């Protein structure tokens, strides 16, 4: 961490403290991380020096760190590299990719390091231009690919020489490989190169979100994803993250948390306290930055509301942990650049093994998961035709439909009443409306999870459901008002669901889901049972 970065962290943590002299920041660069946080501001308050590893245990105000987490990265990183124009960057890439450095591996490493330093200095728009140049100018060369394909076809039809055929096949394969893969390989050889490529892919994905028709950038993203998958194998270490972990690691938890936002140091301290666990996979070249991590709550029963976990100010004590029955996985996150790389599956299995060894009293391993696309699906499902003539393949009790329609004067159908309510503001503040909505929303949520598929495939439409079902979990329960936050209302009308990892059924569940799209069910949720019965009858 640079001196400038440390000053920014110290300013966020101690906004009212005395200004730290410039020379003190310089002198701290050689000290341990905990010593760097022992500022003069801490001393003049009369507090004792903090111990190594306990620097974050001092009381902090949430507002002191909010601005720091909102802007976790400086816009430009310090570097000795001078700015380069587009023609110089093209020449540099040509040198790296076509290995035109005449001094061998050392020179190639220096050129690649220069590229990385230059990329770090660029603003967002310039990075996009550089990535597009890489995707378009250094993709698969069409001429070479056509020539190699022609030779391979001719050799396959006219020659029976196995060695010649193998040579032509290898030549064809090499000609179809995009040229920018050489750059990725060179970067990965640098210290910290793997982390650089993860962040570079995050930049590519950010561009693709608003430019989905750019096939060249999408192709480069896929190639880099495959590279990262290959390089990850055998390089991951599972670590438990605690309140005594390095501040840099804890900061990354707040930065990468995408399901339930971390609001302050006090918030993250509660999530890392007794009755709670956090585990992450770390790449050996980036030992302080988790690639993927999971939050776990130890409870007496399967939890249906995430606020009961996040706002619990009195979680289980160390003694009470020995009597907990359930481990609730309530948030799994990975770095944006690793989207599509399946690390969560391996992480859950490893964590289950660790928890079983440390806490043999834990017998239930269950998630508390969002339905991130439920509201979007429902808006799409409520077409003008559906509003006028509701379908009869979703079995909602008649009394519930009548109760819902009565909440909206002038509504002729229950679908029209539903559309009116979910599009209005403040409907969750009326208990009568909530009571009328519960059976309808839970029925639709169970139908969405059990019966709505992705395109023509057998996979669940919801990405979180597909992830856990593919891993062998059972759909356990749909929870009304499981996430009462603004994000929970916006994404899923406050629904959440539990996926139960029944250990002796995981392999069979996985095989049946992948082969037939069959969704395993546990528990006695009547809404899931009804959706499952509808699914079975529809297949008959």
């Amino acid at each position: 961490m640079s001196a400038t970065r440390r000053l920014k962290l110290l300013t966020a943590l101690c906004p009212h403290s005395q200004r730290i002299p410039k020379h003190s920041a310089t002198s701290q660069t050689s000290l341990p991380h905990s010593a760097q946080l022992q500022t003069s501001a801490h001393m003049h308050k009369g507090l004792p020096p903090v111990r190594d590893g306990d620097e974050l245990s001092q009381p902090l105000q949430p507002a002191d760190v909010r601005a720091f987490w909102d802007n976790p990265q400086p816009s430009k990183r310090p570097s000795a590299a001078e700015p380069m124009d587009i023609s110089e960057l093209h020449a540099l890439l040509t040198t790296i990719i076509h290995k035109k450095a005449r001094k061998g591996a050392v020179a190639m490493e220096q050129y690649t390091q220069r590229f990385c330093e230059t990329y770090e200095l660029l603003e967002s728009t310039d990075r996009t231009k550089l990535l597009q140049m890489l995707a378009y100018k250094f993709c698969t060369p069409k001429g070479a690919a056509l020539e190699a394909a022609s030779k391979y076809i001719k050799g396959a039809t006219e020659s029976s020489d196995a060695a010649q055929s193998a040579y032509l096949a290898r030549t064809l394969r090499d000609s179809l490989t995009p040229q920018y893969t050489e750059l990725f390989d060179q970067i990965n050889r640098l210290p910290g190169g793997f982390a650089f490529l993860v962040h570079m892919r995050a930049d590519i994905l950010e561009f693709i979100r608003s430019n989905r028709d750019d096939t060249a950038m999408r192709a480069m993203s896929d190639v880099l994803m495959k590279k990262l998958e290959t390089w990850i194998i055998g390089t991951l270490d599972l670590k438990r993250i605690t309140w005594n972990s390095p501040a840099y690691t804890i900061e990354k938890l707040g930065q990468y948390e995408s399901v339930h936002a971390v609001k302050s140091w006090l918030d993250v301290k509660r999530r890392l306290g007794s009755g709670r666990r956090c585990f992450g996979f770390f790449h050996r070249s980036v030992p302080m930055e988790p690639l993927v991590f999971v939050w776990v709550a130890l409870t007496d029963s399967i939890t249906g509301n995430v606020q009961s976990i996040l706002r619990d100010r009195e979680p289980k004590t160390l003694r009470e942990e020995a009597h907990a029955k359930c481990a609730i996985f309530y948030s799994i996150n990975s770095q944006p650049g690793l989207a599509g790389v399946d690390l969560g599956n391996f992480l859950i299995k490893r964590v289950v093994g660790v928890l079983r060894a440390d806490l043999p009293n834990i017998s239930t391993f269950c998630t508390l998961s969002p339905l991130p696309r439920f509201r979007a699906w429902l808006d799409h499902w409520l077409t003008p035709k559906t509003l006028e003539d509701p379908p009869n393949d979703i079995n909602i009790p008649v009394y519930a439909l009548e109760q819902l329609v009565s909440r909206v004067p002038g509504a002729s159908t229950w679908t029209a009443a539903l559309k009116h309510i979910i599009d209005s503001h403040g409907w969750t503040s009326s208990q009568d409306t909530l009571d009328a909505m519960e059976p309808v929303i839970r029925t639709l949520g169970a139908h969405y999870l059990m019966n709505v598929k992705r395109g023509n495939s057998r996979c669940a439409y919801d990405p979180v459901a597909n992830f856990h079902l593919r891993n062998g979990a059972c759909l356990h329960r749909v929870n009304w008002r499981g996430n009462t936050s603004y994000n929970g209302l916006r994404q899923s009308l406050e629904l959440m669901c539990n996926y139960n990892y029944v250990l002796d059924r995981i392999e069979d569940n996985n095989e049946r889901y992948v082969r037939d799209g069959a969704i395993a069910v546990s528990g006695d949720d009547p809404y899931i049972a009804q959706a499952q019965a509808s699914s079975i009858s529809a297949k008959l």
Side-chain angles (χ1 to χ4, degrees), residues 92-104 108 182 185-186 189:
L92 179 61
L93 286 171
T94 301
T95 300
I96 297 170
I97 291 173
H98 297 295
K99 297 182 179 180
K100 293 186 176 181
R102 298 180 178 179
K103 297 182 180 180
M108 288 297 298
E182 179 62 29
D185 292 337
Q186 292 291 342
R189 297 187 182 104

Side-chain angles (χ1 to χ4, degrees), residues 9 37 44 51 65 77 90 98-99 111 126 172 174 176 255 283 381 388 394 397 415 448 471 482 504 530-531 540:
L9 175 57
L37 292 177
H44 90 271
R51 301 190 307 274
V65 296
R77 295 180 176 86
H90 189 279
H98 297 295
K99 297 182 179 180
Y111 283 122
D126 293 328
L172 176 60
D174 292 343
L176 293 173
Q255 180 181 344
H283 193 273
W381 181 76
E388 294 179 4
I394 299 178
T415 49
Y448 165 78
N471 290 345
D504 58 356
Q530 179 62 51
L540 296 178

Side-chain angles (χ1 to χ4, degrees), residues 322-339:
H323 301 285
K325 301 299 181 183
C326 301
I328 305 296
F329 300 84
Y330 64 92
S331 180
I332 303 175
N333 303 269
S334 65
Q335 293 194 24
L338 291 173

Side-chain angles (χ1 to χ4, degrees), residues 453 458 469 509-510 512-520 539:
K453 305 300 181 181
R458 297 173 178 174
L469 296 172
N509 291 345
N510 165 261
R512 293 176 64 240
Y513 180 75
V514 172
R515 185 187 64 223
D516 305 322
I519 296 178
K539 295 177 181 178

Side-chain angles (χ1 to χ4, degrees), residues 303-334:
T303 306
N305 177 270
V306 74
Q307 274 71 39
S308 66
I309 294 175
L310 299 177
R311 298 174 183 174
D312 186 4
R313 297 185 179 278
E314 295 183 359
K316 292 186 177 296
T317 64
L318 292 175
R319 180 176 297 179
E320 291 171 333
E321 285 184 0
H323 301 285
K325 301 299 181 183
C326 301
I328 305 296
F329 300 84
Y330 64 92
S331 180
I332 303 175
N333 303 269
S334 65

Side-chain angles (χ1 to χ4, degrees), residues 249-469:
T249 301
I250 296 178
E251 174 199 333
K252 291 301 177 182
L253 298 182
Q255 180 181 344
Y256 295 134
E257 174 61 44
S258 60
V259 184
H260 307 295
V262 174
K263 300 177 181 179
S264 66
W265 288 114
L266 297 180
D267 188 11
V268 75
K269 181 178 183 180
R270 189 157 51 240
R271 299 190 192 191
L272 295 174
S274 59
R276 302 288 183 264
R277 295 290 189 273
C278 183
F279 295 91
F281 270 145
F282 292 76
H283 193 273
R284 291 171 188 172
S285 68
V286 197
M288 293 178 63
E289 185 171 342
L291 299 182
V292 59
F293 58 93
V294 60
W295 302 95
V296 186
L298 307 179
T299 63
D300 294 325
S301 59
I302 296 176
T303 306
N305 177 270
V306 74
Q307 274 71 39
S308 66
I309 294 175
L310 299 177
R311 298 174 183 174
D312 186 4
R313 297 185 179 278
E314 295 183 359
K316 292 186 177 296
T317 64
L318 292 175
R319 180 176 297 179
E320 291 171 333
E321 285 184 0
H323 301 285
K325 301 299 181 183
C326 301
I328 305 296
F329 300 84
Y330 64 92
S331 180
I332 303 175
N333 303 269
S334 65
Q335 293 194 24
L338 291 173
V341 180
D342 189 9
L343 294 177
N345 174 25
F346 301 107
L347 178 62
I348 290 177
K349 291 178 180 178
R350 288 286 303 277
V351 171
V352 167
V354 171
L355 291 175
R356 292 184 72 188
D358 293 348
L359 298 167
N361 47 292
I362 299 291
S363 58
T364 301
F365 300 90
C366 203
T367 77
L368 182 55
S369 302
L371 287 70
R373 294 183 182 174
F374 175 64
R375 174 62 192 273
W377 167 82
L378 186 59
D379 286 338
H380 181 74
W381 181 76
L382 290 171
T383 61
K385 181 179 180 180
T386 303
L387 295 178
E388 294 179 4
D389 183 20
N392 55 13
D393 60 339
I394 299 178
N395 297 318
I396 303 175
V398 175
Y399 80 89
L401 300 181
E402 292 176 348
Q403 186 180 18
L404 182 65
V405 172
S406 69
R407 299 300 305 168
V408 182
S412 58
T413 64
W414 70 267
T415 49
L418 175 64
K419 175 70 172 174
H420 177 84
I421 291 174
I422 63 177
D423 286 346
S424 62
H425 295 285
W427 64 269
T428 57
S429 60
S430 169
Q431 187 59 49
D432 290 339
T433 302
L434 289 173
D435 292 340
M437 289 283 280
E438 178 178 358
V440 176
I441 296 301
R442 288 187 68 181
T443 300
L444 289 170
H447 169 76
Y448 165 78
L449 293 171
M450 288 290 303
N451 302 321
V452 179
K453 305 300 181 181
R454 186 185 307 173
N456 296 322
S457 72
R458 297 173 178 174
C459 299
Y461 175 76
D462 187 86
V464 176
N466 183 62
F467 170 78
H468 289 295
L469 296 172

